[in-house]
Structures are given as C-alpha cells and as structure tokens.
Amino acid sequence: MQEVAGFFQNVMSLGSYIVLPILIFIIALILGTKIDKAFRSAILIGIALIGINLMTKFLGDNLGPAVKQMSQNAGLNLDILDVGWGAVAGAIWSTPMGVVGIPLILVFNIALIIFKLTKTLDIDIWNYHHIVTAGVLTYTATDSVVLGFLGMLLMAFVIFRLADWSAPIIQKFYHLPGISLPTNSALAPLIIAVPMNYFLDKIPFVRKSKLSFDSLQKYLGVFGEPAIMAIVIGLGIGLVAKYSVKNTLTLAMNLAAVMVILPKVISILMDGLSAIQASSKEFLEKHMKGREVFLGLDAAVAIGHPSVLTVSLILIPLAILIAAILPGNRMMPFADLTAITFRMILVVALVRGHVLKTLLIGIVIIAQILICGTITSPLITKVYLSLGNTLPNGIAGIASFSAGSLFTGFSVIQLLSFSITGLAISGVMWLLFFLLQKQEQAKAIKLAEAASDAE
C-alpha cells in the first residue's frame, strides 16, 4: 500500500493539467473514441485547465490585497486565520492517512459503481483532499484509526451521492451532459441551500421576484452586461478598500477581464469534452445496457458562468462584514475568499440564478462556514502544528473555507466524534435536506428545461 500511495503521489506531482488530460485520453479510448479525437479532447481539456488556473490566480492576486485592506480598515481582530485550502490540503497529504487516501478512495469509488451505489466516477483526484481531511480530522478528534478511515469512506460516499443528486441540475443549467461535479467545496452548500430554497419560496415577495442574473441586462441595459457589472463591483471594492484612483480603476478593469475571459476558457473545455460525451453514451448503451454513469470532474468547469462570478464578487466583500458582526465567529476570512466562487456553483444552478435567493443563501452559507471553521479550528491546527509548522504571531489557530468548515465534513466529524451539539445541528439540516431534496431537484430541473425551451 505504501508503494501504491507513493506512485499516486508521484503522479500528482506532475500537475492537474498534465495528469487529467492523460486520464481523459485513456478513458476516451476505453469508451471507444477514435485515437485522434481522444488526443484532441485531452489536449483541449489540458489547455482549458491551464486557462482556468491562470484566471482564478489572477482573480485572487487582484482581490487578495483589496480584501486585506478592507479587513484592516474594518479593524477586525479575529484570532483564527483563514490560511486557504492549499495550505490545509498540503498538511493533510503529509499525514500517514493522507498517504493512502488516493488509492483507497479510488478503489472505494469503483466498488460503489460496480454495486450500483453511485453513478459518479470521480477522476478529480486533487479534490480527494476534501475526503481525506474528514478522515484525518475525525482521527484527530477521536484518536481512533478505525473511526478515521470510517470518516474518510463515509465522506466519500456522501460526496458521490450528492454528485449523483446534483448531476441532472448541473447538466441542464451548465449544459454539461454526462458530467457530475464531485467537488465537496461546491456540493456542501447544498445541505443549506435546498431547505433555504424551499422556505424562501414560501415568502411571497421572494417567490414573486423573477429577477435573475441572466435577466439583469434586460433591466439594466449595458450596465447589466457581466463586464460592466464587474467594473461597478470593482469600483465599489476599491472605494471600500480606500484604494487610490489608479489602483481602483486597475482592479475594476482586471475583474472585468476575468468576467469576459473565463467563460471563453470554459468553452474550450466544453469543446474538448464533446467527443468523449458522445462516445460515453454509445459505450453505456452497448456494454452496460444503457446504465447511467457520470464522469466526475472538478467543479471548476462551471466556475466561469457569469452568474457565479457576479454573485461571488458581491459576496466576497460582504464576507468581511459577516465575519465582523457574526456572534461566536473567530475566523478571519482571507486566503480562501476568492474560493467563494466554488461555494456558489451549485447554489446558482439550484435556484437558476435567482438574484435574491442566491444572495440570501450565499450569506447564510458564509456564516455557516465561519462558525464551523471556528469550531473545527483546534483540530486542523493540531494537525498543522504536528507537522512542524508554526502559527503567525497573534494567531491562536488556523482554518480555511474547506476542511471542517464545509457542512458535509463538519457533519461527519461531529457524528463520529459523538459531539451532541454539533450532531443535533447537523441532524436537523440533513433531515430537512432529505425531506425536501426530491421536490427541489425536480423543481430545479423543470425550471432549467423551461429556460432551454424558451431559448
């Protein structure tokens, strides 16, 4: 197992934009895609991943300093630092449990598909860190290796099933046939969003509001175009950050550039996937009697949608305000603020870009992340320090917008560590999700189909 784990670690070191195209090429050949088309698809997908990484880094590089300045202007003095998912994932992969995580989860995923317990084949191995983190933090909380691995497998099962559930919604809304998104950072908000969407529809004012991000241009004219909206939001962020005129205008133009370029990068990805999707359909009909199997990709494939980018640019500065006034919060949002885009991908699809619903659900999700991050910070801090790291001066602990902050991972940890309060809160939210998930899924699909017919 140690040798197998070492092999996977060496493979991962090549980078996602190299390994994923290779995996796509192999899978495409297995599905019966002609070698030239499989090669073209793999190269285009690799190019798109590079473009997505460049644009998300560019977004972070521009928003990061502005967010830091806004925090300083607000006088926030919170003692748990959001160090970002990358730092947390790096710590998790360095643990003994992290070493065996990839091969174990991959074998578990294949077994679930064979026994028809999931439809998702998750080839997004970089985001396995979400699954491994649940296991590592469960072990840290309970000091039980058995419970740690149980937490890892339970987390994997939850993610695969949520990916199955959300697949019809994202396939309709983002036009991704045959795809699911088993990325926990995008899936976890559904446990909050599904019940909230149901109850928000009971409020007449919200229910009657038809304004969506897609329809803003109709009402706002040129100011409703994604690029112009990014300019306006960028000017607002620069104003709150007390930037100079030059820096404010630069920030605004850079945000507008992301809003225009990122969707074009996603179109390259979709071009690369088209040949594989056709072969996949033929393969399943021929060899699996038409059984449905989804190719599980990184949720980044949907990050370029204008509705996702727009709501994220609005919520990022709001996260600072929420952190400042939220009772019980000790977590300072920082490194992972631009990752709010991932938290909104499935929320936007669920409510079909409904402006008021998306913003209200987004605010609650950010509040949940901050509180759960505060509660689980001692666990991730213990793991972080055990690897020889040190904390910055004045900081009592670390957290991120992933790890135990996401509601799915938080729930698994609370369940297996037998935390009564956390278990009770998690139980209520999961119960509401299970009671409402079928009708909310059907409603989301119906809205998407109606929109497609209108187009």
Side-chain angles (χ1 to χ4, degrees), residues 114-176:
I114 292 172
F115 289 104
K116 299 182 180 180
L117 294 174
T118 184
K119 299 177 181 179
T120 293
L121 175 61
D122 186 359
I123 64 170
D124 179 25
I125 60 176
W126 284 266
N127 279 313
Y128 280 15
H129 75 85
H130 289 290
I131 300 172
V132 177
T133 297
V136 172
L137 295 188
T138 298
Y139 166 73
T140 304
T142 63
D143 202 27
S144 168
V145 175
V146 173
L147 289 177
F149 277 105
L150 179 60
M152 188 187 300
L153 296 180
L154 178 58
M155 184 67 174
F157 181 74
V158 167
I159 287 177
F160 299 148
R161 295 295 292 176
L162 284 175
D164 292 345
W165 181 88
S166 59
I169 298 173
I170 64 102
Q171 289 170 8
K172 294 286 185 181
F173 185 78
Y174 293 115
H175 307 293
L176 293 170

Side-chain angles (χ1 to χ4, degrees), residues 159-356:
I159 287 177
F160 299 148
R161 295 295 292 176
L162 284 175
D164 292 345
W165 181 88
S166 59
I169 298 173
I170 64 102
Q171 289 170 8
K172 294 286 185 181
F173 185 78
Y174 293 115
H175 307 293
L176 293 170
I179 301 299
S180 67
L181 304 179
T183 307
N184 189 44
S185 55
L187 291 169
L190 286 173
I191 311 306
I192 306 293
V194 166
M196 275 198 70
N197 189 45
Y198 173 81
F199 289 114
L200 286 173
D201 276 336
K202 303 301 179 184
I203 303 173
F205 172 72
V206 177
R207 184 177 64 251
K208 292 177 182 178
S209 173
K210 303 299 182 183
L211 183 63
S212 68
F213 288 102
D214 289 340
S215 65
L216 278 177
Q217 187 173 353
K218 174 183 175 182
Y219 297 100
L220 300 178
V222 67
F223 290 98
E225 293 183 9
I228 306 303
M229 290 183 66
I231 290 284
V232 174
I233 294 170
L235 292 175
I237 293 174
L239 183 64
V240 175
K242 297 182 179 179
Y243 267 14
S244 66
V245 173
K246 177 185 175 182
N247 289 343
T248 298
L249 293 174
T250 300
L251 173 64
M253 284 300 297
N254 287 341
L255 294 186
V258 172
M259 190 71 80
V260 172
I261 296 173
L262 193 51
K264 297 185 182 301
V265 174
I266 299 299
S267 68
I268 298 174
L269 181 80
M270 298 307 301
D271 188 11
L273 286 172
S274 59
I276 299 171
Q277 289 163 348
S279 299
S280 175
K281 184 177 180 181
E282 293 176 5
F283 180 89
L284 293 173
E285 289 175 350
K286 182 178 180 181
H287 297 283
M288 302 185 71
K289 298 179 181 179
R291 181 183 165 193
E292 208 172 23
V293 177
F294 305 134
L295 189 63
L297 298 180
D298 189 334
V301 301
I303 202 174
H305 194 280
S307 298
V308 175
L309 292 173
T310 302
V311 70
S312 300
L313 290 178
I314 295 171
L315 288 173
I316 285 170
L318 280 180
I320 302 296
L321 175 62
I322 296 168
I325 65 175
L326 183 64
N329 175 55
R330 295 171 55 195
M331 182 175 166
M332 167 74 80
F334 179 57
D336 262 351
L337 273 173
T338 53
I340 286 175
T341 49
F342 283 86
R343 311 304 177 265
M344 301 312 298
I345 287 170
L346 288 175
V347 174
V348 167
L350 178 70
V351 302
R352 186 132 196 106
H354 188 288
V355 172
L356 192 53

Side-chain angles (χ1 to χ4, degrees), residues 80 137 376-386 391 396-399:
I80 294 175
L137 295 188
T376 57
S377 174
L379 298 177
I380 191 63
T381 301
K382 184 177 180 180
V383 174
Y384 186 76
L385 294 176
S386 72
L391 297 175
I398 65 164

Side-chain angles (χ1 to χ4, degrees), residues 365-412:
I365 287 170
I366 290 172
Q368 171 266 304
I369 287 172
L370 293 172
I371 293 299
C372 290
T374 297
I375 293 171
T376 57
S377 174
L379 298 177
I380 191 63
T381 301
K382 184 177 180 180
V383 174
Y384 186 76
L385 294 176
S386 72
L387 297 170
N389 298 303
T390 57
L391 297 175
N393 291 333
I395 297 299
I398 65 164
S400 79
F401 273 44
S402 60
S405 302
L406 295 168
F407 198 76
T408 43
F410 175 81
S411 300
V412 168

